[in-house]
Amino acid sequence: MQCYVSSPEGKGPFPGVMVFQEAFGVNGHIRDVTDRVAKEGYVAIAPELFHRSATPGQELSYADFNLVMPHFQAMTTEGMAADVKATYEWLQKQANVKHDKIGCIGFCLGGRVSFLANTEVPLAAAISYYGGRTAEYADRASNLHGPHLFFWGGLDKHITQEQVDLVINAVKAANKPYTNVVISYADHAFNCNDRPAYNKKASDEAWAMSMAFFRNNL
Protein backbone atom coordinates (compact mmCIF):
# COMPACT_ATOMS: atom_id res chain seq x y z
CA MET A 1 0.00 0.00 0.00
CA GLN A 2 1.52 3.28 -1.10
CA CYS A 3 1.28 6.19 1.35
CA TYR A 4 2.11 9.88 1.38
CA VAL A 5 4.16 10.87 4.42
CA SER A 6 4.98 14.32 5.73
CA SER A 7 7.06 15.02 8.84
CA PRO A 8 7.89 18.08 10.92
CA GLU A 9 11.41 19.45 11.01
CA GLY A 10 13.60 18.15 13.81
CA LYS A 11 14.19 14.76 15.40
CA GLY A 12 11.12 14.60 17.61
CA PRO A 13 9.65 12.37 18.77
CA PHE A 14 6.33 13.76 17.56
CA PRO A 15 2.76 12.50 17.84
CA GLY A 16 1.53 10.66 14.74
CA VAL A 17 -1.58 11.33 12.68
CA MET A 18 -3.17 9.13 10.02
CA VAL A 19 -4.92 11.17 7.31
CA PHE A 20 -7.74 9.37 5.54
CA GLN A 21 -8.71 10.40 2.01
CA GLU A 22 -11.97 11.39 0.40
CA ALA A 23 -13.29 9.13 -2.36
CA PHE A 24 -10.92 10.63 -4.93
CA GLY A 25 -7.60 9.19 -3.86
CA VAL A 26 -4.60 10.68 -2.11
CA ASN A 27 -4.75 13.69 -4.41
CA GLY A 28 -3.30 17.18 -4.20
CA HIS A 29 -5.82 18.28 -1.59
CA ILE A 30 -5.18 15.32 0.72
CA ARG A 31 -1.41 15.72 0.32
CA ASP A 32 -1.83 19.39 1.21
CA VAL A 33 -3.85 18.47 4.32
CA THR A 34 -1.14 15.97 5.27
CA ASP A 35 1.53 18.65 4.91
CA ARG A 36 -0.55 21.06 7.00
CA VAL A 37 -0.86 18.46 9.75
CA ALA A 38 2.91 17.94 9.67
CA LYS A 39 3.52 21.68 9.98
CA GLU A 40 1.47 21.58 13.19
CA GLY A 41 4.03 19.17 14.66
CA TYR A 42 2.80 15.69 13.75
CA VAL A 43 4.24 12.87 11.66
CA ALA A 44 1.41 12.54 9.14
CA ILE A 45 0.70 9.63 6.83
CA ALA A 46 -2.05 9.31 4.21
CA PRO A 47 -2.54 5.71 3.01
CA GLU A 48 -3.98 5.03 -0.45
CA LEU A 49 -7.18 3.26 0.57
CA PHE A 50 -8.01 2.29 -3.04
CA HIS A 51 -4.77 0.33 -3.44
CA ARG A 52 -6.59 -2.94 -4.08
CA SER A 53 -8.40 -1.61 -7.15
CA ALA A 54 -6.48 1.47 -8.33
CA THR A 55 -2.96 1.95 -9.61
CA PRO A 56 -0.45 3.47 -7.14
CA GLY A 57 -0.83 7.23 -6.96
CA GLN A 58 -4.08 7.26 -8.93
CA GLU A 59 -6.16 10.42 -8.51
CA LEU A 60 -9.82 10.51 -9.50
CA SER A 61 -11.77 13.44 -10.88
CA TYR A 62 -14.19 15.35 -8.67
CA ALA A 63 -16.33 15.84 -11.78
CA ASP A 64 -17.07 12.19 -12.59
CA PHE A 65 -18.17 10.02 -9.68
CA ASN A 66 -18.83 7.14 -12.09
CA LEU A 67 -15.06 6.66 -12.27
CA VAL A 68 -14.90 6.59 -8.49
CA MET A 69 -17.66 4.05 -7.89
CA PRO A 70 -15.75 0.86 -8.83
CA HIS A 71 -13.05 1.70 -6.28
CA PHE A 72 -15.55 2.88 -3.68
CA GLN A 73 -17.63 -0.29 -4.06
CA ALA A 74 -14.55 -2.52 -3.90
CA MET A 75 -13.84 -1.41 -0.34
CA THR A 76 -14.75 -3.71 2.54
CA THR A 77 -14.75 -3.24 6.29
CA GLU A 78 -12.12 -5.95 6.58
CA GLY A 79 -9.92 -4.26 3.99
CA MET A 80 -10.24 -0.84 5.62
CA ALA A 81 -9.46 -2.32 9.03
CA ALA A 82 -6.36 -4.02 7.62
CA ASP A 83 -5.19 -0.74 6.05
CA VAL A 84 -5.74 1.12 9.32
CA LYS A 85 -3.73 -1.46 11.24
CA ALA A 86 -0.90 -1.44 8.69
CA THR A 87 -0.68 2.36 8.81
CA TYR A 88 -0.79 2.39 12.60
CA GLU A 89 1.91 -0.27 12.77
CA TRP A 90 4.12 1.74 10.41
CA LEU A 91 3.86 4.72 12.76
CA GLN A 92 4.68 2.44 15.69
CA LYS A 93 7.97 1.50 14.02
CA GLN A 94 9.16 5.09 13.47
CA ALA A 95 11.78 6.37 15.89
CA ASN A 96 10.51 9.96 15.57
CA VAL A 97 6.92 9.07 16.61
CA LYS A 98 5.45 9.03 20.12
CA HIS A 99 3.94 5.57 19.97
CA ASP A 100 1.26 6.24 22.59
CA LYS A 101 0.16 9.49 20.93
CA ILE A 102 -1.33 8.54 17.59
CA GLY A 103 -4.52 10.00 16.16
CA CYS A 104 -6.35 10.26 12.88
CA ILE A 105 -8.35 12.67 10.76
CA GLY A 106 -10.51 11.82 7.76
CA PHE A 107 -12.84 13.45 5.28
CA CYS A 108 -16.04 12.04 3.72
CA LEU A 109 -15.08 8.40 3.06
CA GLY A 110 -12.11 9.07 5.31
CA GLY A 111 -14.42 10.35 8.04
CA ARG A 112 -16.03 6.93 8.16
CA VAL A 113 -12.60 5.27 8.15
CA SER A 114 -11.57 7.51 11.08
CA PHE A 115 -14.48 6.18 13.11
CA LEU A 116 -13.59 2.61 12.19
CA ALA A 117 -9.94 3.26 13.00
CA ASN A 118 -10.81 4.49 16.46
CA THR A 119 -12.51 1.16 17.12
CA GLU A 120 -9.69 -0.95 15.65
CA VAL A 121 -6.48 0.47 17.12
CA PRO A 122 -5.73 2.31 20.41
CA LEU A 123 -5.86 5.88 19.15
CA ALA A 124 -5.47 8.86 21.47
CA ALA A 125 -7.77 11.04 19.33
CA ALA A 126 -9.83 10.79 16.14
CA ILE A 127 -11.57 13.35 13.91
CA SER A 128 -14.28 12.72 11.32
CA TYR A 129 -15.32 15.36 8.81
CA TYR A 130 -18.76 14.59 7.29
CA GLY A 131 -18.19 10.84 7.41
CA GLY A 132 -20.70 9.30 5.03
CA ARG A 133 -22.15 5.94 6.06
CA THR A 134 -20.58 6.17 9.51
CA ALA A 135 -23.97 5.09 10.83
CA GLU A 136 -23.19 1.60 9.53
CA TYR A 137 -20.59 1.36 12.30
CA ALA A 138 -22.73 2.80 15.09
CA ASP A 139 -22.84 -0.59 16.79
CA ARG A 140 -19.06 -0.35 17.23
CA ALA A 141 -19.29 2.77 19.41
CA SER A 142 -18.51 0.84 22.59
CA ASN A 143 -15.13 -0.06 21.05
CA LEU A 144 -13.97 3.53 20.56
CA HIS A 145 -10.56 4.10 22.14
CA GLY A 146 -9.83 7.83 22.10
CA PRO A 147 -12.10 10.89 22.19
CA HIS A 148 -13.78 11.57 18.87
CA LEU A 149 -14.50 14.92 17.19
CA PHE A 150 -17.27 15.01 14.57
CA PHE A 151 -17.95 17.71 11.98
CA TRP A 152 -21.11 17.83 9.88
CA GLY A 153 -22.42 20.36 7.39
CA GLY A 154 -25.92 21.62 8.16
CA LEU A 155 -26.62 21.90 4.41
CA ASP A 156 -25.33 18.40 3.65
CA LYS A 157 -27.91 16.43 1.63
CA HIS A 158 -25.68 13.33 1.49
CA ILE A 159 -25.83 12.62 5.22
CA THR A 160 -29.25 12.83 6.84
CA GLN A 161 -29.94 14.10 10.34
CA GLU A 162 -31.19 10.61 11.21
CA GLN A 163 -27.79 9.16 10.30
CA VAL A 164 -25.97 11.77 12.37
CA ASP A 165 -28.27 11.12 15.33
CA LEU A 166 -27.69 7.38 15.07
CA VAL A 167 -23.92 7.85 15.32
CA ILE A 168 -23.94 10.43 18.09
CA ASN A 169 -26.58 8.66 20.17
CA ALA A 170 -24.58 5.43 19.94
CA VAL A 171 -21.40 7.15 21.12
CA LYS A 172 -23.33 8.86 23.91
CA ALA A 173 -24.97 5.60 24.99
CA ALA A 174 -21.54 3.95 25.08
CA ASN A 175 -20.38 6.73 27.40
CA LYS A 176 -17.43 7.55 25.17
CA PRO A 177 -15.92 11.06 25.06
CA TYR A 178 -16.91 13.00 21.97
CA THR A 179 -17.45 16.48 20.57
CA ASN A 180 -20.15 16.97 17.97
CA VAL A 181 -20.07 20.04 15.73
CA VAL A 182 -22.71 20.94 13.15
CA ILE A 183 -21.80 23.95 11.03
CA SER A 184 -25.24 25.12 9.94
CA TYR A 185 -24.15 27.12 6.88
CA ALA A 186 -21.74 24.53 5.46
CA ASP A 187 -22.35 21.80 2.88
CA HIS A 188 -20.76 18.39 2.39
CA ALA A 189 -17.04 18.65 1.58
CA PHE A 190 -16.84 22.17 2.99
CA ASN A 191 -13.17 21.64 3.86
CA CYS A 192 -11.97 20.86 0.32
CA ASN A 193 -10.78 24.02 -1.43
CA ASP A 194 -10.73 22.20 -4.78
CA ARG A 195 -14.49 21.58 -4.76
CA PRO A 196 -17.47 23.92 -5.29
CA ALA A 197 -18.79 23.23 -1.77
CA TYR A 198 -15.67 24.71 -0.17
CA ASN A 199 -16.50 27.18 2.57
CA LYS A 200 -13.45 29.05 3.82
CA LYS A 201 -15.02 30.26 7.05
CA ALA A 202 -16.29 26.80 7.98
CA SER A 203 -12.99 25.22 6.95
CA ASP A 204 -10.92 27.66 8.99
CA GLU A 205 -13.11 27.23 12.08
CA ALA A 206 -13.12 23.44 11.83
CA TRP A 207 -9.35 23.33 11.29
CA ALA A 208 -8.70 25.50 14.35
CA MET A 209 -10.92 23.24 16.44
CA SER A 210 -9.24 20.15 15.00
CA MET A 211 -5.77 21.34 15.87
CA ALA A 212 -6.88 22.33 19.39
CA PHE A 213 -8.39 18.85 19.77
CA PHE A 214 -5.13 17.23 18.71
CA ARG A 215 -3.08 19.48 21.01
CA ASN A 216 -5.30 18.55 23.96
CA ASN A 217 -5.16 14.82 23.30
CA LEU A 218 -1.91 14.12 21.48
Side-chain angles (χ1 to χ4, degrees):
M1 179 174 63
Q2 183 168 291
C3 303
Y4 179 79
V5 177
S6 190
S7 300
E9 295 182 2
K11 295 182 179 180
F14 308 99
V17 172
M18 300 182 287
V19 180
F20 296 124
Q21 67 182 62
E22 297 177 307
F24 306 95
V26 179
N27 57 14
H29 171 65
I30 295 300
R31 294 193 299 273
D32 177 64
V33 169
T34 307
D35 289 339
R36 289 175 66 193
V37 170
K39 288 177 182 177
E40 296 283 350
Y42 306 94
V43 174
I45 176 171
E48 294 188 353
L49 300 177
F50 289 162
H51 67 95
R52 292 174 180 82
S53 58
T55 56
Q58 185 170 354
E59 300 180 23
L60 299 160
S61 171
Y62 292 120
D64 191 352
F65 202 75
N66 288 328
L67 296 176
V68 174
M69 285 305 293
H71 306 291
F72 193 76
Q73 293 172 339
M75 298 187 76
T76 64
T77 298
E78 293 75 19
M80 287 185 284
D83 294 347
V84 163
K85 291 174 182 176
T87 308
Y88 178 84
E89 288 168 5
W90 183 88
L91 285 168
Q92 287 288 313
K93 294 176 182 177
Q94 307 310 306
N96 65 336
V97 172
K98 294 181 180 179
H99 300 147
D100 61 340
K101 295 294 183 180
I102 294 176
C104 69
I105 185 170
F107 307 85
C108 189
L109 162 65
R112 174 163 55 112
V113 177
S114 279
F115 189 87
L116 177 66
N118 201 8
T119 70
E120 289 285 337
V121 291
L123 299 181
I127 304 174
S128 293
Y129 278 66
Y130 33 81
R133 293 172 58 185
T134 303
E136 295 178 7
Y137 295 144
D139 61 350
R140 292 171 173 253
S142 61
N143 296 327
L144 289 171
H145 291 89
H148 208 106
L149 172 58
F150 298 91
F151 289 107
W152 316 94
L155 304 180
D156 192 340
K157 300 296 190 296
H158 298 278
I159 304 173
T160 66
Q161 186 61 52
E162 289 76 14
Q163 291 173 321
V164 173
D165 290 343
L166 186 61
V167 173
I168 300 305
N169 288 339
V171 176
K172 185 176 181 180
N175 198 30
K176 296 294 183 176
Y178 73 95
T179 301
N180 187 47
V181 179
V182 178
I183 302 180
S184 65
Y185 55 85
D187 206 339
H188 190 77
F190 68 76
N191 184 70
C192 183
N193 55 359
D194 291 333
R195 300 176 70 178
Y198 175 63
N199 186 304
K200 186 179 187 305
K201 181 180 178 182
S203 177
D204 288 350
E205 290 179 350
W207 186 260
M209 292 183 67
S210 296
M211 293 306 104
F213 185 77
F214 276 161
R215 284 193 299 273
N216 287 340
N217 293 289
L218 299 181

